[in-house]
């Protein structure tokens, strides 16, 4: 096998491995979100305040972009106990952060889910199933696309189909 063919095969294998990692992460995050839906109780919570922070450039997450954080502080009852907790919603622009702050304005009530073992761990937006599962859906779609691209790369590589079965006699 020539050096060019080895490189072509290596590129295809790297694409396959990366696609498999994305699909595996989609299953892991999807299972995690499903576990939250199944085991964390849903309660009504009152928003006691929101704060918009951030706006500084965050090169580790978004090159040349800014990240805004809307901190949502809530109070809710679980059994006889009353808890206060907070959730952070991230957005890439100030308008989206302001919209989240308006939706979760002080005094409004929203459905949240909380971890019974740690009531400070809460999830907002859990009633919006598409939004709640958007991360695993995106990872899964990207993983399948990269897998398809990697298989196509190997199948159409110059040395012939890398996965072509031997010819029958």
């Amino acid at each position: 096998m020539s050096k060019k063919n080895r490189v072509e095969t290596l590129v295809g294998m790297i694409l396959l491995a990366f696609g498999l990692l994305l699909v595996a992460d989609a299953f892991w995050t999807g299972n995690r979100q499903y576990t939250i839906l199944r085991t964390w109780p849903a309660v009504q919570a009152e928003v006691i305040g929101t704060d918009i922070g951030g706006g500084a450039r965050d090169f580790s997450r978004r090159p040349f972009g800014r990240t805004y954080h809307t901190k949502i502080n809530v109070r809710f009852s679980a059994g006889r106990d009353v808890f206060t907790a907070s959730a952070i919603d991230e957005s890439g622009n100030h308008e989206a952060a302001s919209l989240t702050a308006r939706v979760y304005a002080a005094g409004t009530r929203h459905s949240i889910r909380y971890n019974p073992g740690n009531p400070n761990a809460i999830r907002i937006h859990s009633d919006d199933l598409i939004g709640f599962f958007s991360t695993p859906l995106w990872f899964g779609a990207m993983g399948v696309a990269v897998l398809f691209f990697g298989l196509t790369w190997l199948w159409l590589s110059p040395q012939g189909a890398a996965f072509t079965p031997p010819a029958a006699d």
Side-chain angles (χ1 to χ4, degrees):
M1 183 184 286
S2 72
K3 183 176 181 178
K4 182 178 179 183
N5 291 345
R6 284 192 302 258
V7 170
E8 295 280 338
T9 301
L10 179 64
V11 168
M13 293 297 188
I14 289 171
L15 288 171
L16 284 177
F18 187 63
L20 285 172
L21 283 174
L22 285 171
V23 169
D25 189 51
F27 279 110
W28 184 81
T29 55
N31 183 51
R32 184 171 161 258
Q33 295 296 80
Y34 177 71
T35 301
I36 289 171
L37 281 179
R38 197 184 60 214
T39 61
W40 289 20
V43 296
Q44 287 294 311
E46 179 184 359
V47 177
I48 54 177
T50 56
D51 298 310
I52 298 175
R57 293 188 186 269
D58 185 1
F59 293 107
S60 65
R61 294 184 135 187
R62 300 184 61 223
F64 311 111
R66 299 180 187 277
T67 301
Y68 295 89
H69 307 277
T70 306
K71 184 176 181 182
I72 304 160
N73 301 306
V74 299
R75 177 178 31 240
F76 63 96
S77 297
R80 294 182 184 168
D81 298 321
V82 176
F83 298 99
T84 58
S86 60
I88 295 181
D89 188 69
E90 281 190 8
S91 57
N93 60 60
H94 192 268
E95 293 78 22
S98 296
L99 176 62
T100 301
R102 283 194 304 274
V103 169
Y104 288 91
T108 58
R109 297 187 65 76
H110 299 275
S111 177
I112 65 163
R113 291 190 180 270
Y114 74 94
N115 182 348
N118 177 13
N120 290 321
I122 63 169
R123 295 293 187 272
I124 58 174
H125 307 303
S126 61
D127 292 338
D128 172 21
L129 292 181
I130 297 296
F132 197 66
F133 284 99
S134 62
T135 300
L137 289 172
W138 275 111
F139 276 125
M142 293 304 295
V144 168
V146 172
L147 275 173
F148 177 76
F149 188 65
L151 285 172
T152 303
W153 184 280
L154 287 172
W155 191 263
L156 300 176
S157 62
Q159 76 267 21
F163 294 122
T164 304
D169 291 328

